[in-house]
Amino acid sequence: YAVCMPMSYDEGWTYLNFSSKSFLASVAYYPAPNNHILYSILTNISVIFPVDVLLAIRLPSMLINILSVFLAYTFIKEFFNKQIALIATSIFSICFMTIYYGYMARGYSLVVLCFIAAMHAAYKITVANRKIYWLYFSIANVIGLYTMPSFLYPFVTVNLFLLIRLGRIIFN
């Protein structure tokens, strides 16, 4: 899909307003609320590569999607078992939105990655409340919120999960 699907309106808009301009434009220029800041920064780097423009702006999304599937497998395997992790990530990897965000040159794949990383850290915090897991949790949330403002929804969800789980641990 990354090679044969035509460029969408949002991808073209991202390229024209951010990827084809300077790094500073991606960081500081915020013309619309649906701007995917961190993804635009990554495309500023990928368009330097000597490949087709469409592939160059989709490259970060493809790599991030592969990393998301790997992180999901690692997370599920750690808290459940290898068979459940294999089944869950097999289903996750063939879902329409995973495939679509896996090549679409927008920041949604980063949101998925940050959500999985934050959830993984939250689970680790509930098992062993160590500072390194809080750091991991904070970094995942900051990157997610820097990617796009609508990461607020996964951010609230993961924090509610953490609040409920830690509340049970503290009050029991």
Side-chain angles (χ1 to χ4, degrees):
Y1 289 127
V3 176
C4 65
M5 292 298 289
M7 185 179 285
S8 71
Y9 173 82
D10 284 342
E11 290 175 309
W13 198 84
T14 298
Y15 178 74
L16 292 174
N17 285 291
F18 306 108
S19 305
S20 65
K21 297 194 181 333
S22 70
F23 178 79
L24 188 58
S26 293
V27 173
Y29 180 55
Y30 201 83
N34 197 20
N35 184 11
H36 301 196
I37 302 168
L38 184 57
Y39 191 82
S40 297
I41 292 169
L42 295 175
T43 62
N44 285 122
I45 297 166
S46 66
V47 295
I48 296 170
F49 299 131
V51 295
D52 181 55
V53 170
L54 181 61
L55 186 59
I57 65 170
R58 287 181 173 175
L59 186 63
S61 189
M62 292 185 298
L63 297 175
I64 292 163
N65 190 49
I66 291 167
L67 186 59
S68 294
V69 172
F70 175 75
L71 185 61
Y73 174 79
T74 304
F75 169 42
I76 296 167
K77 185 177 85 172
E78 183 177 342
F79 289 97
F80 297 99
N81 63 41
K82 194 175 186 178
Q83 290 78 22
I84 291 174
L86 189 59
I87 292 167
T89 52
S90 296
I91 293 169
F92 170 65
S93 67
I94 61 169
C95 287
F96 170 75
M97 296 313 280
T98 306
I99 294 170
Y100 184 67
Y101 293 152
Y103 74 86
M104 180 61 64
R106 299 292 281 151
Y108 299 113
S109 56
L110 272 169
V111 169
V112 170
L113 177 67
C114 291
F115 173 71
I116 293 169
M119 200 65 196
H120 188 201
Y123 264 93
K124 285 197 169 268
I125 289 167
T126 61
V127 173
N129 194 349
R130 294 183 24 213
K131 288 180 184 177
I132 190 71
Y133 301 140
W134 282 103
L135 178 66
Y136 181 43
F137 178 76
S138 299
I139 290 170
N141 283 309
V142 167
I143 291 171
L145 288 166
Y146 189 68
T147 298
M148 60 195 296
S150 62
F151 186 78
L152 183 62
Y153 297 109
F155 174 77
V156 168
T157 303
V158 174
N159 279 283
L160 280 173
F161 165 79
L162 197 54
L163 181 66
I164 292 167
R165 289 292 299 256
L166 289 179
R168 286 185 188 160
I169 292 168
I170 292 169
F171 294 116
N172 284 338

